[in-house]
Amino acid sequence: MKTIAFVVGSIRQGSLNQQLAVAVSHLLPADYEAVFADLSQLPMYNQDNEAPTPEAVLDFKKVIAASDAVIFVTPEYNRSIPALLKNAIDHGSRPYGSSVWQGKPAGILGTSPGALGTALAQQHLRNILSCLNMPVMSQPDVYLQYHDNTFDTDGHITNDSTKAYLEGWVNQFVEWVKHNG
C-alpha cells in the first residue's frame, strides 16, 4: 500500500481546492491510501520556536514523512501560493538538515474560477519545491477552472470530461511515483 499525502493550501470551509483534493483522492487506485495533512493548527513559522517543536508541527511532519508522495493542491492568491501553504512548507523543511520534503515525489493541482486556474501559483510552488529537492511531475498540468457544481456534496466530480482528465492525471502521477519514489 502506497500513501499519498494531500497538502491543501486552504482551510476555508467550502474551499474549492479542498473539494478538488477530496475528489482526486477518490480517483486513486485501490492500493493507494490518501491522507490529508492538517495545516489548520500550524503556528506561523519562527525559527525561535523550533525547540521544542510544537506538537502540531510534529504531527504534520509525521504525516509527510510517512507518505510515499505528496500532492499539493493550491489556490492562487495574488498570483502566488497562500501564506498557509508556504508556512507548512517552511515547517516541513526545518530545522536545517531534517526536511521531510527531501526527495519526496510531488504533484501539483489547483482550481479557481479564473480562466487560468492556478497556473501562476503552481509555477511559484514548483520553484519552491525544486529548492527542497522534491521531484515534481511536470506533465500533464492541471489548471482547472472551477464552475458551479464541479463537485457534488460527496466529493465526486460531476462533469464527465473533467473526471476523465483528472483520472488521466492521477494515472500518470501514480506511474510517475513508481519511477521516482
Side-chain angles (χ1 to χ4, degrees), residues 56-123:
V57 174
L58 293 173
D59 292 344
F60 171 77
K61 290 179 78 167
K62 284 177 191 172
V63 168
I64 303 304
S67 68
D68 296 291
V70 180
I71 294 177
F72 291 91
V73 186
T74 184
E76 183 169 305
Y77 295 170
N78 301 311
R79 299 193 177 185
S80 190
I81 64 171
L84 175 77
L85 181 54
K86 180 64 166 74
N87 186 54
I89 292 168
D90 290 346
H91 275 298
S93 71
R94 301 292 303 168
Y96 180 79
S98 64
S99 176
V100 293
W101 307 118
Q102 176 69 28
K104 189 100 32 187
I108 303 173
L109 303 165
T111 189
S112 167
L116 295 178
T118 60
L120 295 171
Q122 289 187 41
Q123 188 56 50

Side-chain angles (χ1 to χ4, degrees), residues 102-142:
Q102 176 69 28
K104 189 100 32 187
I108 303 173
L109 303 165
T111 189
S112 167
L116 295 178
T118 60
L120 295 171
Q122 289 187 41
Q123 188 56 50
H124 284 184
L125 184 53
R126 285 178 191 283
N127 291 340
I128 294 165
L129 300 182
S130 71
C131 174
L132 297 173
N133 197 31
M134 291 186 81
V136 180
M137 185 174 82
S138 60
Q139 292 294 320
D141 290 324
V142 176

Side-chain angles (χ1 to χ4, degrees), residues 31-45:
D31 57 339
Y32 279 71
E33 174 188 20
V35 295
F36 287 81
D38 182 10
L39 281 58
S40 69
Q41 302 303 307
L42 295 176
M44 285 303 294
Y45 175 76

